[in-house]
Amino acid sequence: MSANFNAAVTSYLANISPTVLTVPFSMGMWCSLDAVGTVGRALWGLSDTGTANNYFTLKMMATEVIRLSIAAGGGEITLDANAVNPRRWNFLLAEFNTSSSRRLTMLDDRGEGMISVTGIGGADPTGIDTMTIGILSTSAGISSAPWSGKIAEFWLANSNIIMDSTRRLDKNFTNKLAYQGPFNFPHIAQNIVEYRSFRKAITPD
């Protein structure tokens, strides 16, 4: 139960009226890479399409490492997790708690191999007007190669995942969030502003 994103035809989803424009917010998704290709690919973006360097994005580097990046009119501030393995599923959780605090968490399809990294440094992108799944869109066009693989459940919440964003995410909580979904947590469910099940395809069922 997932949607196939075909890089050969640049398949992606765009929302030109994004439900989130600024921090705090959090997003979660399951993804699976088709094959190793030594090409950086974008999974998700929240961007200003009128400039080239105002965005939040989650992408895969050419080394298959998952990277969270923010640009606010200048260079990127980044956080790196682990590399993805082709044809294996990974749960990704990106938290943008404040303009100077963010966290990237990654879990494999066995509920193991959890990595959670945090970062600081001020970055507050402006002019946000588009959210994309499968690419990052800016004034430069598609700024990264499109995703090549599958994406399952995707959600976006206009809040932090835990009340105290400075607390460490434990494996038990992350597993429940990944496998049971955000609607099993009332404090997250009430703040969900975008949800895509991707049960069969990119388009709604």
Side-chain angles (χ1 to χ4, degrees), residues 30 85 87-91 107-112 179:
W30 282 92
N85 293 314
R87 295 172 292 280
R88 295 287 298 272
W89 285 95
N90 287 273
F91 175 69
L107 190 70
D108 68 23
D109 53 5
R110 298 168 298 172
E112 300 292 340
Y179 287 97

Side-chain angles (χ1 to χ4, degrees), residues 192-204:
I192 296 290
V193 291
E194 184 141 0
Y195 181 85
R196 308 276 177 172
S197 67
F198 291 130
R199 288 196 323 122
K200 300 177 182 178
I202 296 176
T203 54

